[in-house]
Amino acid sequence: MSCSAIEHHCKKWGSITPVNSLLTTPSYQVTGHEVTLNLLRKEQGFGFRIKRGNDSANKILITTIVRHSSAHRDGRLQPGDELVAVNNVPVNQKTHEDVVALIRKAGQNGQVSLMITTPTMKHGGGSVMLWG
């Protein structure tokens, strides 16, 4: 990309974040798209499972969506989504057990508000949601 093309890109799209690649193919950067959703508890629960991620950020990730559950019917929650907050309580510093307890407590009230980050792949000036 020439300097003038980069300047035009910066004016139109904002700053450029270089992504290093050993390959000569286009580079991609994964970022997040934040979504808040509300689920009603059904007989089988809210209909999703979580686990602590293995990466250094130690995120809480959605691993499974149960068929015909509230989460499945809503359609926005997907495996790979990061759980950011439960009923406006941030979960980034909580243990897996603490997060499960927050979700169970919400279940007693019959509904839960989840803030999630859905992975988004960025390439050039555009972006594509990977899971939604």
Side-chain angles (χ1 to χ4, degrees), residues 47-117:
F48 64 93
R49 293 187 179 92
I50 61 170
K51 76 168 189 167
R52 174 78 55 195
N54 295 330
D55 63 352
S56 61
N58 218 12
K59 301 171 183 176
I60 298 285
L61 301 175
I62 305 300
T63 59
T64 306
I65 305 299
V66 178
R67 290 186 66 130
H68 308 294
S69 66
S70 290
H72 182 251
R73 285 192 178 105
D74 180 273
R76 293 178 288 173
L77 193 62
Q78 300 292 320
D81 289 348
E82 177 189 352
L83 185 59
V84 176
V86 175
N87 288 343
N88 296 318
V89 177
V91 300
N92 59 338
Q93 298 296 318
K94 303 236 180 262
T95 65
H96 179 269
E97 293 77 18
D98 289 342
V99 177
V100 170
L102 282 171
I103 295 167
R104 283 192 177 138
K105 183 177 178 184
Q108 294 172 354
N109 297 324
Q111 67 180 30
V112 68
S113 174
L114 303 175
M115 181 182 293
I116 60 166
T117 300

Side-chain angles (χ1 to χ4, degrees), residues 40-51:
L40 295 176
R41 188 181 188 288
K42 300 292 183 189
E43 188 176 314
Q44 73 272 30
F46 294 111
F48 64 93
R49 293 187 179 92
I50 61 170
K51 76 168 189 167

Side-chain angles (χ1 to χ4, degrees), residues 20-41:
N20 296 327
S21 174
L22 297 175
L23 306 174
T24 57
T25 57
S27 299
Y28 294 89
Q29 176 183 17
V30 177
T31 60
H33 175 75
E34 217 166 75
V35 177
T36 300
L37 52 108
N38 297 302
L39 300 175
L40 295 176
R41 188 181 188 288

